[in-house]
Amino acid sequence: MNTFSIAIHGGAGTLVKGMMTADLEAQYKSVLKAALDTGYAILENGGTSIDAVEKAVIILEDSHLFNAGKGAVFTADETHEMDASIMDGQSLNAGAVSLISGIKNPVSLAKDVMEKSEHVFLAGEGAMQFAKMNAYKIEDVSYFYDEFRHNQWLEIKDTDSFQLDHATKKDSKFGTVGAVACDQNGNIAAATSTGGMTNKKFGRVGDSPMIGAGNYANNKTCAISCTGSGEFFIRGVVAYDVACLIEHKEMSLEEAANEVIHKRILEIGGDGGLIAVDAKGNIAMPFNTEGMYRGSKSSNGAEEVLIYK
Ligand code: ASP
């Protein structure tokens, strides 16, 4: 049997160490662990990597602690616009949605785009139409209200600034979420979900729903989910760049992931991190920020849930 494994992240923009209380740290870690265990149980029972990443991300989307689903940040119009994507490394099938609102679990909608449509990427009104056609319930805006997020927005709402994931601000509380997994058959998958950036406008879309930028999976190389300054991750085509270094430069998963996060993305001014898995169940989770909410669990016995370096 193939070594099976899963890794998850809750964003590379963690609270700075001084702001983190023991209680808050315990809350973050408990949700991360629940997501990890949910995904791992699916793999352990012989389930697919696609199901494992979707179900792990759902747990993170259902928590107000992370910037996805329930905890999605506010846009300049005081609304929520969410993005998500998912990719199957065996078939190279992929699904993505962008600029959606009222959907409790954007990752599931992305999966439905992959499985129930002829398309890869649906955005805005059309994506919402597709959701309604597939009997998605539209949640009331109150479901997505979080006082902390609202305060973050109030602080910058009348300015031109939008808040990056890795802001040096002391009270930064961000966190795109994602999962990558390798199942017992050696098939890998990746999923990413986000509310984007506080006070974003003009239909801004980051890297998270873009196949190749914030999310990618191919059994031949790796499955990747990114978190970071989206504009730079798009320009760096980060997720696919890791795959290319493995395929064309014959780097290991770890080498390729480190090269991109500690060198290539820094060179163009980006910050953040990623989680990666390959078809042998190896895992890498590099980041160039102070911390990254993350966890991994493998059938070889290794397990960790961490926030800082
Ligand atoms: N990459 C995301 C975006 O730019 C933000 C994040 O990673 O938290 O939308």
Side-chain angles (χ1 to χ4, degrees):
M1 191 204 304
N2 203 76
T3 300
F4 55 94
S5 58
I6 179 163
I8 56 162
H9 73 79
T14 57
L15 287 171
V16 291
K17 254 185 188 160
M19 294 283 298
M20 181 63 88
T21 63
D23 178 50
L24 206 49
E25 185 161 345
Q27 286 181 41
Y28 276 107
K29 285 188 169 168
S30 115
V31 180
L32 289 169
K33 183 157 169 35
L36 202 54
D37 288 346
T38 299
Y40 188 81
I42 291 169
L43 301 173
E44 200 170 31
N45 292 326
T48 64
S49 51
I50 272 286
D51 281 341
V53 295
E54 182 205 9
K55 298 296 183 305
V57 165
I58 284 176
I59 304 272
L60 300 168
E61 286 178 337
D62 288 348
S63 163
H64 69 100
L65 292 173
F66 302 101
N67 174 18
K70 188 169 178 49
V73 296
F74 285 86
T75 67
D77 295 330
E78 205 177 357
T79 59
H80 303 281
E81 288 175 349
M82 299 174 287
D83 307 328
S85 59
I86 193 162
M87 185 160 184
D88 178 345
Q90 184 189 17
S91 60
L92 301 186
N93 282 339
V97 289
S98 184
L99 303 171
I100 58 164
S101 48
I103 303 292
K104 185 166 176 272
N105 295 114
V107 69
S108 299
L109 187 59
K111 185 163 173 264
D112 278 338
V113 171
M114 174 172 85
E115 290 172 351
K116 299 179 183 164
S117 86
E118 301 282 293
H119 309 294
V120 170
F121 202 161
L122 303 181
E125 268 173 42
M128 292 306 295
Q129 217 178 315
F130 177 79
K132 285 173 197 155
M133 242 175 68
N134 283 280
Y136 275 75
K137 180 174 170 238
I138 307 303
E139 302 293 334
D140 190 78
V141 284
S142 62
Y143 173 79
F144 299 92
Y145 182 83
D146 178 71
E147 200 183 339
F148 190 101
R149 295 260 184 260
H150 197 247
N151 287 340
Q152 281 181 329
W153 174 72
L154 286 176
E155 272 181 40
I156 57 169
K157 74 176 177 114
D158 294 320
T159 69
D160 266 343
S161 82
F162 49 83
Q163 206 151 319
L164 277 167
D165 203 16
H166 316 286
T168 45
K169 283 193 71 207
K170 290 216 164 36
D171 62 349
S172 293
K173 187 182 111 175
F174 303 91
T176 287
V177 307
V180 294
C182 173
D183 63 29
Q184 293 187 21
N185 294 319
N187 291 319
I188 60 178
T192 307
S193 179
T194 190
M197 291 187 318
T198 300
N199 210 35
K200 63 182 181 177
K201 54 187 170 191
F202 309 129
R204 182 267 181 190
V205 179
D207 59 312
S208 308
M210 293 185 194
I211 301 301
N215 200 72
Y216 187 69
N218 184 336
N219 277 3
K220 259 172 43 184
T221 52
C222 57
I224 306 279
S225 171
C226 299
T227 167
S229 41
E231 279 64 15
F232 296 90
F233 277 62
I234 294 171
R235 295 182 191 118
V237 202
V238 166
Y240 188 63
D241 201 22
V242 177
C244 283
L245 291 174
I246 295 173
E247 184 167 1
H248 305 299
K249 282 203 153 183
E250 285 161 39
M251 287 189 183
S252 69
L253 182 78
E254 175 111 26
E255 285 166 348
N258 281 334
E259 171 81 12
V260 171
I261 291 301
H262 294 298
K263 196 156 172 258
R264 294 162 74 91
I265 192 72
L266 285 176
E267 280 168 3
I268 62 168
D271 60 350
L274 59 81
I275 52 172
V277 73
D278 66 18
K280 293 197 183 90
N282 295 310
I283 289 170
M285 302 192 287
F287 54 96
N288 60 35
T289 45
E290 184 177 354
M292 178 168 83
Y293 299 108
R294 65 199 186 280
S296 67
K297 189 167 180 171
S298 164
S299 60
N300 68 17
E303 177 174 356
E304 58 184 13
V305 173
L306 296 163
I307 299 179
Y308 301 102
K309 278 181 186 135

